Short mmCIF file of all heavy atoms in Angstrom, two decimals:
data_model
loop_
_atom_site.label_atom_id
_atom_site.label_comp_id
_atom_site.label_asym_id
_atom_site.label_seq_id
_atom_site.Cartn_x
_atom_site.Cartn_y
_atom_site.Cartn_z
N LYS X 1 90.92 87.43 56.49
CA LYS X 1 90.26 88.16 57.57
C LYS X 1 91.28 88.87 58.46
O LYS X 1 91.09 90.03 58.85
CB LYS X 1 89.42 87.20 58.42
CG LYS X 1 88.60 87.89 59.51
CD LYS X 1 87.89 86.87 60.39
CE LYS X 1 86.81 86.17 59.63
NZ LYS X 1 86.01 85.27 60.53
N GLN X 2 92.37 88.19 58.77
CA GLN X 2 93.40 88.76 59.64
C GLN X 2 94.03 90.00 59.00
O GLN X 2 94.23 91.02 59.67
CB GLN X 2 94.48 87.72 59.94
CG GLN X 2 95.53 88.18 60.94
CD GLN X 2 96.52 87.07 61.27
OE1 GLN X 2 96.70 86.12 60.52
NE2 GLN X 2 97.19 87.19 62.39
N LYS X 3 94.33 89.91 57.72
CA LYS X 3 94.93 91.05 57.03
C LYS X 3 93.96 92.23 56.95
O LYS X 3 94.35 93.38 57.19
CB LYS X 3 95.36 90.64 55.62
CG LYS X 3 96.59 89.73 55.58
CD LYS X 3 96.95 89.39 54.15
CE LYS X 3 98.20 88.51 54.07
NZ LYS X 3 98.53 88.16 52.67
N MET X 4 92.69 91.93 56.67
CA MET X 4 91.69 93.00 56.59
C MET X 4 91.45 93.62 57.96
O MET X 4 91.27 94.84 58.07
CB MET X 4 90.39 92.46 56.00
CG MET X 4 90.47 92.15 54.52
SD MET X 4 88.85 91.74 53.82
CE MET X 4 89.29 91.46 52.10
N ASN X 5 91.45 92.78 59.00
CA ASN X 5 91.30 93.30 60.36
C ASN X 5 92.41 94.29 60.68
O ASN X 5 92.17 95.34 61.30
CB ASN X 5 91.36 92.15 61.38
CG ASN X 5 90.03 91.44 61.54
OD1 ASN X 5 88.99 91.95 61.15
ND2 ASN X 5 90.07 90.24 62.08
N GLY X 6 93.63 93.96 60.27
CA GLY X 6 94.77 94.81 60.55
C GLY X 6 94.60 96.20 59.95
O GLY X 6 94.84 97.22 60.63
N HIS X 7 94.18 96.27 58.69
CA HIS X 7 94.02 97.57 58.03
C HIS X 7 92.81 98.33 58.55
O HIS X 7 92.85 99.57 58.66
CB HIS X 7 93.92 97.37 56.52
CG HIS X 7 95.23 96.99 55.89
ND1 HIS X 7 96.30 97.85 55.80
CD2 HIS X 7 95.65 95.81 55.35
CE1 HIS X 7 97.32 97.24 55.22
NE2 HIS X 7 96.95 96.01 54.93
N THR X 8 91.75 97.61 58.91
CA THR X 8 90.56 98.27 59.46
C THR X 8 90.87 98.86 60.84
O THR X 8 90.47 99.98 61.16
CB THR X 8 89.39 97.28 59.57
OG1 THR X 8 89.15 96.69 58.28
CG2 THR X 8 88.11 97.99 60.00
N MET X 9 91.62 98.10 61.65
CA MET X 9 92.00 98.59 62.98
C MET X 9 92.97 99.77 62.87
O MET X 9 92.92 100.70 63.69
CB MET X 9 92.64 97.46 63.79
CG MET X 9 91.65 96.45 64.33
SD MET X 9 90.37 97.21 65.38
CE MET X 9 91.38 97.88 66.70
N LEU X 10 93.84 99.74 61.88
CA LEU X 10 94.78 100.85 61.68
C LEU X 10 94.01 102.12 61.32
O LEU X 10 94.33 103.21 61.79
CB LEU X 10 95.78 100.50 60.58
CG LEU X 10 96.90 101.54 60.33
CD1 LEU X 10 97.73 101.72 61.59
CD2 LEU X 10 97.77 101.09 59.17
N PHE X 11 92.99 101.96 60.49
CA PHE X 11 92.14 103.11 60.12
C PHE X 11 91.45 103.66 61.37
O PHE X 11 91.40 104.88 61.57
CB PHE X 11 91.11 102.65 59.08
CG PHE X 11 90.18 103.74 58.62
CD1 PHE X 11 90.66 104.97 58.20
CD2 PHE X 11 88.80 103.51 58.58
CE1 PHE X 11 89.80 105.97 57.77
CE2 PHE X 11 87.94 104.52 58.15
CZ PHE X 11 88.44 105.74 57.75
N TYR X 12 90.95 102.77 62.22
CA TYR X 12 90.30 103.17 63.47
C TYR X 12 91.30 103.91 64.37
O TYR X 12 90.96 104.95 64.97
CB TYR X 12 89.76 101.94 64.19
CG TYR X 12 89.26 102.20 65.59
CD1 TYR X 12 88.16 103.03 65.81
CD2 TYR X 12 89.89 101.64 66.70
CE1 TYR X 12 87.69 103.28 67.09
CE2 TYR X 12 89.44 101.89 67.99
CZ TYR X 12 88.34 102.71 68.17
OH TYR X 12 87.89 102.97 69.44
N PHE X 13 92.52 103.41 64.43
CA PHE X 13 93.55 104.03 65.25
C PHE X 13 93.88 105.43 64.72
O PHE X 13 94.03 106.38 65.51
CB PHE X 13 94.81 103.16 65.25
CG PHE X 13 95.93 103.70 66.09
CD1 PHE X 13 95.86 103.67 67.47
CD2 PHE X 13 97.06 104.24 65.49
CE1 PHE X 13 96.89 104.18 68.26
CE2 PHE X 13 98.10 104.74 66.26
CZ PHE X 13 98.00 104.72 67.64
N HIS X 14 93.99 105.58 63.42
CA HIS X 14 94.26 106.89 62.82
C HIS X 14 93.15 107.88 63.16
O HIS X 14 93.43 109.04 63.49
CB HIS X 14 94.40 106.76 61.30
CG HIS X 14 95.66 106.10 60.86
ND1 HIS X 14 95.87 105.69 59.56
CD2 HIS X 14 96.78 105.76 61.54
CE1 HIS X 14 97.07 105.14 59.47
NE2 HIS X 14 97.63 105.16 60.66
N LEU X 15 91.91 107.42 63.07
CA LEU X 15 90.79 108.31 63.36
C LEU X 15 90.76 108.69 64.84
O LEU X 15 90.40 109.81 65.20
CB LEU X 15 89.46 107.64 62.97
CG LEU X 15 89.25 107.37 61.47
CD1 LEU X 15 87.86 106.81 61.22
CD2 LEU X 15 89.46 108.64 60.65
N SER X 16 91.13 107.75 65.70
CA SER X 16 91.16 108.03 67.14
C SER X 16 92.22 109.08 67.46
O SER X 16 92.07 109.85 68.41
CB SER X 16 91.46 106.75 67.93
OG SER X 16 90.43 105.79 67.75
N ASN X 17 93.29 109.11 66.67
CA ASN X 17 94.35 110.10 66.87
C ASN X 17 94.01 111.46 66.28
O ASN X 17 94.73 112.43 66.52
CB ASN X 17 95.66 109.58 66.28
CG ASN X 17 96.45 108.77 67.28
OD1 ASN X 17 97.24 109.31 68.04
ND2 ASN X 17 96.21 107.47 67.30
N LEU X 18 92.92 111.51 65.51
CA LEU X 18 92.43 112.79 65.00
C LEU X 18 91.48 113.32 66.07
O LEU X 18 90.28 113.11 66.01
CB LEU X 18 91.71 112.58 63.66
CG LEU X 18 91.24 113.82 62.92
CD1 LEU X 18 92.44 114.68 62.52
CD2 LEU X 18 90.44 113.43 61.69
N CYS X 19 92.04 113.99 67.05
CA CYS X 19 91.29 114.29 68.28
C CYS X 19 90.31 115.46 68.11
O CYS X 19 90.71 116.60 67.87
CB CYS X 19 92.25 114.61 69.41
SG CYS X 19 93.19 113.17 69.93
N ILE X 20 89.04 115.15 68.26
CA ILE X 20 87.99 116.15 68.32
C ILE X 20 87.59 116.31 69.78
O ILE X 20 87.40 117.40 70.29
CB ILE X 20 86.77 115.74 67.48
CG1 ILE X 20 87.21 115.22 66.10
CG2 ILE X 20 85.79 116.89 67.36
CD1 ILE X 20 88.05 116.18 65.30
N THR X 21 87.49 115.16 70.45
CA THR X 21 87.29 115.12 71.89
C THR X 21 88.48 114.37 72.50
O THR X 21 89.29 113.80 71.79
CB THR X 21 85.98 114.40 72.25
OG1 THR X 21 86.00 113.07 71.70
CG2 THR X 21 84.77 115.15 71.68
N ALA X 22 88.54 114.36 73.81
CA ALA X 22 89.66 113.72 74.51
C ALA X 22 89.47 112.21 74.52
O ALA X 22 88.90 111.65 75.45
CB ALA X 22 89.78 114.26 75.93
N ASP X 23 89.95 111.55 73.49
CA ASP X 23 89.86 110.10 73.35
C ASP X 23 91.14 109.48 73.91
O ASP X 23 92.24 109.75 73.41
CB ASP X 23 89.70 109.73 71.87
CG ASP X 23 89.45 108.25 71.66
OD1 ASP X 23 89.76 107.45 72.56
OD2 ASP X 23 88.94 107.89 70.58
N PRO X 24 91.03 108.63 74.95
CA PRO X 24 92.22 108.01 75.57
C PRO X 24 93.13 107.29 74.57
O PRO X 24 94.34 107.23 74.76
CB PRO X 24 91.62 107.03 76.58
CG PRO X 24 90.28 107.58 76.91
CD PRO X 24 89.80 108.21 75.63
N MET X 25 92.55 106.76 73.49
CA MET X 25 93.36 106.04 72.50
C MET X 25 94.40 106.94 71.84
O MET X 25 95.42 106.48 71.34
CB MET X 25 92.46 105.43 71.42
CG MET X 25 91.86 104.09 71.81
SD MET X 25 91.34 103.15 70.37
CE MET X 25 92.90 102.73 69.61
N ALA X 26 94.13 108.25 71.85
CA ALA X 26 95.03 109.18 71.19
C ALA X 26 96.40 109.24 71.86
O ALA X 26 97.38 109.65 71.24
CB ALA X 26 94.41 110.57 71.16
N LEU X 27 96.48 108.82 73.11
CA LEU X 27 97.74 108.90 73.84
C LEU X 27 98.51 107.58 73.83
O LEU X 27 99.62 107.51 74.34
CB LEU X 27 97.48 109.33 75.30
CG LEU X 27 96.83 110.71 75.48
CD1 LEU X 27 96.63 111.00 76.96
CD2 LEU X 27 97.68 111.80 74.84
N LEU X 28 97.92 106.55 73.26
CA LEU X 28 98.57 105.24 73.25
C LEU X 28 99.88 105.23 72.46
O LEU X 28 100.79 104.45 72.75
CB LEU X 28 97.62 104.18 72.69
CG LEU X 28 96.39 103.82 73.53
CD1 LEU X 28 95.54 102.79 72.81
CD2 LEU X 28 96.81 103.29 74.90
N SER X 29 99.95 106.09 71.46
CA SER X 29 101.14 106.08 70.60
C SER X 29 102.30 106.89 71.18
O SER X 29 103.40 106.87 70.64
CB SER X 29 100.79 106.63 69.22
OG SER X 29 100.25 107.95 69.33
N ALA X 30 102.04 107.61 72.27
CA ALA X 30 103.10 108.42 72.88
C ALA X 30 104.10 107.52 73.60
O ALA X 30 103.75 106.78 74.51
CB ALA X 30 102.49 109.43 73.86
N THR X 31 105.35 107.59 73.19
CA THR X 31 106.43 106.83 73.81
C THR X 31 107.34 107.77 74.57
O THR X 31 107.93 108.68 73.99
CB THR X 31 107.25 106.07 72.74
OG1 THR X 31 106.38 105.20 72.00
CG2 THR X 31 108.34 105.25 73.38
N VAL X 32 107.44 107.54 75.88
CA VAL X 32 108.22 108.43 76.75
C VAL X 32 109.58 107.81 77.00
O VAL X 32 109.69 106.67 77.45
CB VAL X 32 107.49 108.66 78.09
CG1 VAL X 32 108.25 109.67 78.94
CG2 VAL X 32 106.05 109.13 77.85
N LYS X 33 110.62 108.57 76.70
CA LYS X 33 111.99 108.06 76.87
C LYS X 33 112.52 108.48 78.25
O LYS X 33 112.68 109.66 78.53
CB LYS X 33 112.91 108.58 75.77
CG LYS X 33 114.30 107.92 75.76
CD LYS X 33 115.09 108.35 74.55
CE LYS X 33 114.60 107.70 73.27
NZ LYS X 33 114.82 106.23 73.26
N ILE X 34 112.74 107.50 79.11
CA ILE X 34 113.26 107.73 80.46
C ILE X 34 114.54 106.93 80.64
O ILE X 34 114.53 105.69 80.54
CB ILE X 34 112.25 107.31 81.54
CG1 ILE X 34 110.90 108.02 81.36
CG2 ILE X 34 112.82 107.55 82.94
CD1 ILE X 34 110.93 109.50 81.64
N GLU X 35 115.65 107.62 80.86
CA GLU X 35 116.95 106.98 81.07
C GLU X 35 117.26 105.94 79.99
O GLU X 35 117.68 104.82 80.28
CB GLU X 35 117.00 106.35 82.46
CG GLU X 35 116.89 107.35 83.59
CD GLU X 35 116.94 106.70 84.97
OE1 GLU X 35 116.91 105.45 85.04
OE2 GLU X 35 117.00 107.43 85.97
N GLY X 36 116.99 106.33 78.74
CA GLY X 36 117.30 105.45 77.61
C GLY X 36 116.27 104.39 77.31
O GLY X 36 116.39 103.65 76.34
N GLN X 37 115.22 104.30 78.15
CA GLN X 37 114.16 103.31 77.94
C GLN X 37 112.93 103.95 77.33
O GLN X 37 112.54 105.07 77.70
CB GLN X 37 113.77 102.65 79.26
CG GLN X 37 114.72 101.59 79.75
CD GLN X 37 114.14 100.86 80.95
OE1 GLN X 37 113.81 101.45 81.96
NE2 GLN X 37 114.02 99.55 80.84
N ASP X 38 112.30 103.25 76.38
CA ASP X 38 111.04 103.71 75.80
C ASP X 38 109.90 103.13 76.62
O ASP X 38 109.71 101.90 76.66
CB ASP X 38 110.93 103.27 74.34
CG ASP X 38 111.88 104.02 73.44
OD1 ASP X 38 112.28 105.15 73.81
OD2 ASP X 38 112.24 103.50 72.37
N LEU X 39 109.12 104.01 77.26
CA LEU X 39 108.03 103.57 78.12
C LEU X 39 106.70 104.10 77.63
O LEU X 39 106.63 105.15 76.97
CB LEU X 39 108.27 104.06 79.56
CG LEU X 39 109.57 103.61 80.23
CD1 LEU X 39 109.73 104.29 81.58
CD2 LEU X 39 109.59 102.09 80.40
N ASN X 40 105.62 103.37 77.95
CA ASN X 40 104.28 103.84 77.65
C ASN X 40 103.92 104.96 78.62
O ASN X 40 104.42 105.02 79.75
CB ASN X 40 103.26 102.71 77.78
CG ASN X 40 103.48 101.62 76.76
OD1 ASN X 40 103.88 101.88 75.62
ND2 ASN X 40 103.24 100.37 77.15
N LEU X 41 103.03 105.83 78.20
CA LEU X 41 102.62 106.95 79.04
C LEU X 41 102.05 106.47 80.37
O LEU X 41 102.32 107.05 81.42
CB LEU X 41 101.58 107.81 78.30
CG LEU X 41 101.11 109.07 79.04
CD1 LEU X 41 102.28 110.01 79.31
CD2 LEU X 41 100.03 109.78 78.24
N GLU X 42 101.29 105.38 80.35
CA GLU X 42 100.67 104.86 81.57
C GLU X 42 101.71 104.38 82.59
O GLU X 42 101.40 104.26 83.78
CB GLU X 42 99.71 103.72 81.23
CG GLU X 42 100.39 102.53 80.59
CD GLU X 42 99.40 101.48 80.09
OE1 GLU X 42 98.26 101.84 79.79
OE2 GLU X 42 99.81 100.32 80.00
N ASP X 43 102.94 104.11 82.12
CA ASP X 43 104.00 103.66 83.02
C ASP X 43 104.59 104.82 83.83
O ASP X 43 105.18 104.60 84.90
CB ASP X 43 105.12 102.98 82.24
CG ASP X 43 104.67 101.70 81.55
OD1 ASP X 43 103.81 101.02 82.12
OD2 ASP X 43 105.17 101.42 80.45
N VAL X 44 104.45 106.02 83.30
CA VAL X 44 105.11 107.17 83.93
C VAL X 44 104.15 108.27 84.39
O VAL X 44 104.58 109.27 84.97
CB VAL X 44 106.16 107.79 82.98
CG1 VAL X 44 107.26 106.79 82.69
CG2 VAL X 44 105.51 108.25 81.67
N ALA X 45 102.86 108.08 84.13
CA ALA X 45 101.90 109.12 84.51
C ALA X 45 100.50 108.55 84.68
O ALA X 45 100.18 107.47 84.17
CB ALA X 45 101.88 110.22 83.44
#
């Protein structure tokens, strides 16, 4: 179940990144580099 959940959630994540409308999940993968640190978008904006 855990392994199948992982692949099903990954499929959901991929579809969320295929933006037709402004889905907040689409920005989760954006990593912002500030002074050598990798930060989430919500940390800087």
Side-chain angles (χ1 to χ4, degrees):
K1 185 185 291 187
Q2 186 176 21
K3 288 181 178 179
M4 288 188 179
N5 278 342
H7 288 291
T8 305
M9 284 302 298
L10 185 60
F11 180 49
Y12 171 65
F13 181 72
H14 288 169
L15 294 185
S16 297
N17 271 272
L18 186 63
C19 292
I20 314 304
T21 58
D23 186 341
M25 277 201 69
L27 299 180
L28 292 178
S29 58
T31 301
V32 185
K33 189 173 286 294
I34 304 291
E35 296 180 352
Q37 282 189 303
D38 289 336
L39 302 174
N40 295 325
L41 183 60
E42 62 188 25
D43 296 326
V44 297

